[in-house]
Amino acid sequence: MNTGSIRLYSYWRSSAAYRVRIALNLKGLPYEIVPVHLLKDGGEQHKPAYADLNPQELVPVLLHGNRILRQSMAIIEYLDETWPDRPLMPTTARDRQRVRAIAQMIACDVHPLNNLRVLQYLENTLGLAQEARDAWVRHWVAAGLSAVEQVLEDNPSTGTFCDGEVPTLADCCLVPQVYNAERFKVDMTPYPTIRRIVGECLALDAFDKARPEHQPDAQR
Amino acid sequence: MNTGSIRLYSYWRSSAAYRVRIALNLKGLPYEIVPVHLLKDGGEQHKPAYADLNPQELVPVLLHGNRILRQSMAIIEYLDETWPDRPLMPTTARDRQRVRAIAQMIACDVHPLNNLRVLQYLENTLGLAQEARDAWVRHWVAAGLSAVEQVLEDNPSTGTFCDGEVPTLADCCLVPQVYNAERFKVDMTPYPTIRRIVGECLALDAFDKARPEHQPDAQR
């Protein structure tokens, strides 16, 4: 398959970059990782070399040839439309709506509240102590995962994965959010359906290779 | 056109509900507004009657017949796929990516930081005064709109609207965000392209009828 060159500007621990790594792996697309260190020297994402690619100064950016693609969910849908093999979206409008809604429950209403720039604002501008910052993160993660759990449990559309028997955009978003939740020591006991699905996902090579700790820029 | 029944659970000032109202109007779909009062009695969105529809306890929800649809961007794409007339998405994968990315810059990285539940947490849990809460809102709105302005200005894909000559999902997200910015007295001077596009949008009936102040549950 000649895909043209694909370069992903990524940070090992970024949830949003992790989503796109999963999608690229699920679709079997070859790509090069360009690490962007979010903490070194005040953050490489704020330097002109990166800010010119993405004025939001957030990762990821995906370069497809000379096309600059931003926003993880929009990137994943682009990959899926450009290379229809191994689809990441279901075939009916109703199911696509459900998959996008689950993805957005996480990517709109959980992750943006807890990413690095927000935690930096809580610490540096509002002067919140570690304990209050951790409580903030856990509050929004619990609210989000609790709603996702309810949408997934006892719904006939839920299968091995969030929607049916093939991983979709929803799973690409769920797995990184659960990684993040575990990092902040969120109690995952109340979310058995989420835990089951994430277990199924991480048993697949595509998800495993996308894990933060398997990235070239991972730190210990 | 027989659309089946469409009911939108909406709150006049909700940015996310406002997006869907614009989309429904642009597509010429008839719908009934079901007001959900986010402030009365601790918030109708938290009562079982609504929480059963949406475990996130956020507006909007759209009922299409007996289908329960959540998350504004996912609802808009469903409307667009189900009724292809008057499309809200461009025809190429590249342009769809751009439109979704602009929409997500707002719907993921600006709005969720500033909605009611977050402002309530800042006030009630963190004890922040009005001034610090307003500064929080203005900080994230300015960061987001500044990036959107850069993506829109000098880009040949930008037209009368965010992408070309027809309003898209991106415009459905931009106009409510600017309404919100003005409510919080954000200085809009640095965003001439955004101001121009929002002016073009609000000159259209579909956008005008969706305005918060034109809703049945609007308060003065």
Side-chain angles (χ1 to χ4, degrees):
Chain A
M1 175 165 48
N2 180 6
T3 59
S5 93
I6 298 178
R7 308 183 78 192
L8 180 68
Y9 289 76
S10 172
Y11 178 66
W12 66 298
R13 270 188 160 168
S14 156
S15 276
Y18 188 177
R19 293 173 199 148
V20 179
R21 296 195 301 260
I22 295 168
L24 286 162
N25 294 347
L26 282 169
K27 296 197 77 73
L29 296 168
Y31 61 102
E32 178 193 350
I33 291 272
V34 184
V36 180
H37 199 307
L38 300 190
L39 297 170
K40 198 166 69 181
D41 300 333
E44 289 179 353
Q45 74 277 26
H46 303 307
K47 309 292 183 208
Y50 187 78
D52 283 351
L53 283 178
N54 186 4
Q56 285 201 288
E57 303 177 15
L58 297 170
V59 289
V61 159
L62 186 139
L63 290 193
H64 178 211
N66 57 11
R67 284 184 184 168
I68 303 170
L69 309 176
R70 309 178 183 101
Q71 286 288 339
S72 60
M73 290 189 296
I75 292 170
I76 293 172
E77 293 230 33
Y78 172 89
L79 297 175
D80 209 42
E81 293 179 355
T82 305
W83 294 285
D85 275 0
R86 310 191 205 176
L88 300 176
M89 294 295 285
T91 53
T92 70
R94 178 189 168 282
D95 289 344
R96 278 194 296 274
Q97 203 284 330
R98 182 171 183 271
V99 162
R100 288 188 183 117
I102 295 168
Q104 290 167 21
M105 289 172 76
I106 295 163
C108 296
D109 292 326
V110 181
H111 171 67
L113 289 157
N114 298 332
N115 65 8
L116 179 66
R117 61 180 192 154
V118 171
L119 297 180
Q120 286 174 335
Y121 189 101
L122 293 176
E123 180 174 3
N124 301 330
T125 304
L126 297 181
L128 287 198
Q130 181 80 47
E131 194 180 346
R133 301 199 303 272
D134 288 354
W136 164 278
V137 169
R138 287 195 281 261
H139 175 83
W140 300 116
V141 171
L145 292 186
S146 167
V148 171
E149 177 72 20
Q150 287 178 69
V151 166
L152 291 174
E153 71 180 357
D154 300 326
N155 187 312
S157 296
T158 304
T160 302
F161 301 101
C162 285
D163 195 85
E165 299 308 313
V166 174
T168 62
L169 171 67
D171 303 285
C172 293
C173 292
L174 182 63
V175 167
Q177 185 56 63
V178 169
Y179 165 79
N180 193 270
E182 288 172 344
R183 206 180 136 200
F184 283 93
K185 304 196 185 348
V186 172
D187 176 14
M188 294 296 294
T189 317
Y191 319 120
T193 315
I194 290 174
R195 283 188 285 118
R196 176 186 63 72
I197 291 171
V198 169
E200 297 280 2
C201 288
L202 288 172
L204 300 178
D205 251 16
F207 284 83
D208 187 60
K209 283 183 182 151
R211 282 178 190 258
E213 59 269 30
H214 294 168
Q215 299 314 299
D217 56 333
Q219 284 139 43
R220 327 255 146 212
Chain B
M1 175 164 50
N2 180 5
T3 58
S5 90
I6 299 179
R7 308 183 78 192
L8 180 67
Y9 289 75
S10 172
Y11 179 65
W12 64 298
R13 268 188 161 168
S14 156
S15 276
Y18 189 178
R19 291 172 201 151
V20 179
R21 295 194 302 259
I22 295 168
L24 286 162
N25 295 347
L26 283 169
K27 296 195 77 73
L29 296 167
Y31 62 101
E32 178 193 348
I33 290 273
V34 184
V36 180
H37 199 306
L38 300 189
L39 297 169
K40 198 166 68 182
D41 300 334
E44 289 179 354
Q45 74 278 23
H46 303 306
K47 311 291 184 209
Y50 187 79
D52 284 352
L53 284 178
N54 187 2
Q56 283 199 289
E57 303 176 15
L58 297 170
V59 290
V61 159
L62 187 140
L63 290 193
H64 178 211
N66 57 11
R67 282 184 186 170
I68 305 169
L69 309 176
R70 308 178 185 101
Q71 286 288 340
S72 60
M73 290 189 296
I75 292 169
I76 293 172
E77 294 230 34
Y78 172 88
L79 297 175
D80 208 42
E81 293 179 355
T82 305
W83 295 284
D85 275 359
R86 311 191 203 176
L88 300 175
M89 295 294 287
T91 53
T92 69
R94 177 190 168 280
D95 290 343
R96 278 195 295 276
Q97 203 284 330
R98 181 169 183 271
V99 162
R100 288 188 183 116
I102 295 168
Q104 290 167 21
M105 288 171 77
I106 294 163
C108 296
D109 291 326
V110 181
H111 172 67
L113 289 157
N114 298 333
N115 66 7
L116 179 66
R117 63 180 191 153
V118 172
L119 297 180
Q120 287 175 335
Y121 189 100
L122 294 176
E123 180 174 4
N124 301 330
T125 304
L126 297 181
L128 287 198
Q130 182 79 47
E131 194 181 348
R133 302 199 302 274
D134 288 353
W136 163 280
V137 169
R138 286 196 282 260
H139 176 82
W140 299 116
V141 171
L145 292 186
S146 166
V148 170
E149 177 72 20
Q150 288 177 67
V151 165
L152 291 174
E153 71 180 358
D154 301 325
N155 187 310
S157 296
T158 304
T160 302
F161 301 102
C162 286
D163 194 84
E165 299 309 311
V166 174
T168 62
L169 171 67
D171 303 286
C172 293
C173 292
L174 182 63
V175 167
Q177 185 55 63
V178 169
Y179 165 79
N180 192 271
E182 288 172 345
R183 207 179 134 199
F184 282 93
K185 304 195 186 346
V186 172
D187 176 14
M188 293 297 295
T189 317
Y191 319 120
T193 315
I194 290 174
R195 282 188 287 118
R196 176 186 65 71
I197 291 171
V198 168
E200 298 278 4
C201 288
L202 288 172
L204 300 178
D205 251 16
F207 284 83
D208 187 61
K209 283 183 182 151
R211 282 178 190 258
E213 58 270 30
H214 293 168
Q215 298 314 298
D217 56 334
Q219 283 138 43
R220 328 250 145 214

